[in-house]
Amino acid sequence: MTATSGTLLHQITDYANRADPYPLYAELRRTPVARQDDGVYTVSTYWEILSLLHDPRISSDVRNRTPQAGGDLPPEDDTTLPPSFLRLDPPEHDRLRRLATRPFGPPHSPRRIHDMGGDLVRMVSGLIDGFQGREQVDIVEDFAYPFPVMVICKLLGVPHQDEVLFHGWADAIVAALDPSPAEGPQERQRTAQRARTELGTYLAGLVEEHRRAPGDDMLSALITDHGPDGQMSPVELITTAVLLLIAGHETTVNLITNGTLTLLRHPEALKRLREDPDLAVPLVEELLRYEPPVQLLPQRTALADIDIAGTVIPAGASIWLMLASGNRDPRRFDDPDRFDPGRRDNEHLGFGSGIHYCFGAPLARLEAQLALTGLARRLDGPRLVADPPPYRQNPVLRGPRHLPVAFDGVTA
Amino acid sequence: MTVDGSARAFRQHGRVVVVGASLAGLRAAETLREEGFVGALTMIGDEPSEPYDRPPLSKQVLLGKVPADGTALPRRRALDAEWRLGVAATGLDLTGKRVRLADGQEVGFDRLLIATGTRARPWPRETEADLDGVFVLRTADDAARLERRLAARPRRVLVIGAGFTGSEVASACRERGLEVTVAERGPAPLVGALGGVIGAVAAELQREHGVDLRCGIMVTALEGDPAGRLKRAHLSDGTTLDVDVAVIALGAMRNTEWLAGSGLGAGPRGVACDAGCRAFDVHGIVTDDIFVAGDVARSPHPLFGYQFLSLEHWGNALAQAEVAAHNMISSGPDRRPHLWVPAFWSAQFGVNIKSVGVPPMGEELIVTQGSLAERRFAAAYGHQGRVIAAVTFDHARWIDFYREQIESAAPFPPVFANVDRRPEGLRPVGADFPDPALPTHGPTVTLSGYSPSERRVTFTPARA
């Protein structure tokens, strides 16, 4: 007797299973495309997920959802900011993403991330220096959260001291991504909308300051730069800034924390990384496969009937792409439940795929590589205080809420 | 996997000769070793250099960003092979199982892989082809010579032929700030590969980037000065053009001359083989020990009416080499079919172009995503009511979807709603190929399976 897949999805989103959802994913993969009780279709196997990520019949714009589709509907009273490019389809998505890419990456700004390397190393060192004289730290509060926040503030041109302001807004916005059928989704949506508006207002003020006195940051570049696509409108600029600010740190926290946890559970990998910093590159790829910070994409909608893996997903249906499950699909990865930092042929779904492939991937990779290498090199005798650690509520952006780690000392 | 005694013995003690030391030859050799072949392996190549990659030659190398000798193919593993480089194969003794070499030596084999590829089609009149300033582009040496000349800033470059190579050369010239004229016999660039509708987009792209594009025109003569340097080109419309560099981009010729008289089914269109990469002899009987892979191979494809396709595609060379190598050391049902869906890419004038399937088989075309006017789009080609091919301009992230549409014989015109449907995409138009020589019948098939070993053909009855 096995649980029905409907029950399974409830178990996956149930907080009680947050620390280890992987056996449930394995169970879910027995039905690669499964219709849930509420009409949502879960897709849990690698090739099917990959295929749908490249399928133009799948929309990322929740406004295409029909009332009978299942999943969250956009609140009717949403009069706030329009969606960011993450939640838009082409051609609007393509135009906004191209505009956002100009000051961030190739071909126009190929060195932006590379040139931040020195700053990133100094930030990591500074945070670890702060561990001196202590026997235990919370990796989340003391390291994995502050580091990406510093980075995204510097990159965007947001004053770092304003972190106290936007921290709460970011929490509320991210909480609304939680698709758990828990109590009060409408209330959560409204709180998130309010937070988004407040964060938007804050960033609008910042945009004005940068317009008057542009600096060498992305916001200034987005405001002053003219390319073949023209410029973002003021509202587009703000929604994009909200997206970059939040996505720029809320996921990286989990990548670094999950990475630290995984390394402490695999001491031989930690030892290898300490001896060979070059291992950081494949190791972070393996982390993105093994413990992806974004576990699933619950935002897609079918625009047409889609015949996949013997099931027809009907037009209008809400689709959840279970990235973390695809990453452990034995039909794609050998011995998928083994953490293998030297793994080859590792085309994981940790950053998604297709046109919404993680915009910040190059930055996230570099941050995680430097953070984990720094910890591995400098912490003497690190060990977990609690295993499993307490997790965050959210099943989408999954990661520990706290990660207490004890150690014997800090190497210079 | 079960291997019968003879296959096992062959893996231990067999002698394999690979003629052709480029992408297909190298990857086949690596696959042989990967799959447990420990016998003798000989690699024969007419160029003196180690195997190198060609796609960068018309792009980064011509831009001077990468040296011509800087595109060596990465090695996946040690080969432990005997390399006979800088010596061409000149003949094949099928009965005696020996390859004859240009230096008079012979190499015996138990199984042979032919991967001799293609070479650039030269300018037909030799005295004009020999003028200083007339180039072709196929090898690393070709690229090095042409790059040196471009770096010396000629006043005007003439590119003869606006296929992919010619268009990429023109793009590199413009990026270097050189004046360039493109002379194309057909009505538009890329018209043979992608048809007139897409060709018109390519033409606009070239002109906007400052190319002096002249279509429907032939170069009738290249004229040199007394010192043997190119100075002028004569065109079929009676005009002349002062140029000091001309690049002949008239396509490729298959290197099969060395097989003349061998008894193999080899000719100007390539070496015919079955879907398992085994060569046919002149009687159409499949050989057991002669295999073919890469640009020189010509094999039937069930998705495209069992037509014999010869493909000058990087990805095909790779995939076919792996299948050929696998089949060389396997027997019976362990052998795999080569069912690669044709695919290629190009980069020119800042645009990324990708194609899957066989566009020239398409009668009609529909823009499914994006728009031709923006030159960012995906378009599908239809053949007898099914999707047979697709092309993308700066829309590469969707290309896998179209490959799946082709593999599953999806109906054309597509009936689905998608994320990006604009008015111009609502109805199909003629694809406008210059030569509509299309096959008229054939079973419809579906490709299935994810890994090469799983890929098999499934018969799909025609829709009523």
Side-chain angles (χ1 to χ4, degrees), chain B residues 1-11 111 329-335:
Chain B
M1 178 191 302
T2 58
V3 174
D4 69 15
S6 66
R8 188 177 302 137
F10 179 76
R11 286 175 188 223
R111 285 187 189 152
I329 53 170
S330 307
S331 54
D334 291 334
R335 287 183 169 161

Side-chain angles (χ1 to χ4, degrees), chain A residues 109-125:
Chain A
S109 309
R111 296 184 61 85
R112 169 81 74 176
I113 298 307
H114 177 268
D115 289 350
M116 288 182 76
D119 283 332
L120 266 52
V121 169
R122 278 187 290 279
M123 292 177 196
V124 167
S125 308

Side-chain angles (χ1 to χ4, degrees), chain A residues 47-48 50-60 89-91 94 97-98 229 303-305 309 331 344 353-357, chain B residues 75-76 368-370 374 376 394-405 415-422 449-451 454:
Chain A
W47 296 107
E48 280 68 29
L50 189 67
S51 160
L52 293 184
L53 285 169
H54 293 263
D55 194 321
R57 297 169 298 180
I58 306 282
S59 170
S60 298
D89 290 335
D94 295 359
R97 185 167 163 134
R98 272 199 305 273
D229 287 302
L303 299 178
D305 291 354
R331 291 196 64 194
R344 299 177 66 173
S353 190
I355 61 165
H356 293 284
Y357 179 86
Chain B
R75 298 297 182 87
R76 291 179 176 175
T368 46
Q369 296 176 252
E374 290 171 24
R376 281 191 284 259
D394 280 346
H395 259 54
R397 283 187 161 150
W398 300 109
I399 201 83
D400 286 347
F401 169 76
Y402 292 96
R403 199 195 64 243
E404 284 168 26
Q405 293 274 297
V415 291
F416 55 82
N418 72 44
V419 290
D420 184 8
R421 181 162 268 244
R422 310 199 199 172
Y450 296 124
S451 76
E454 290 174 36

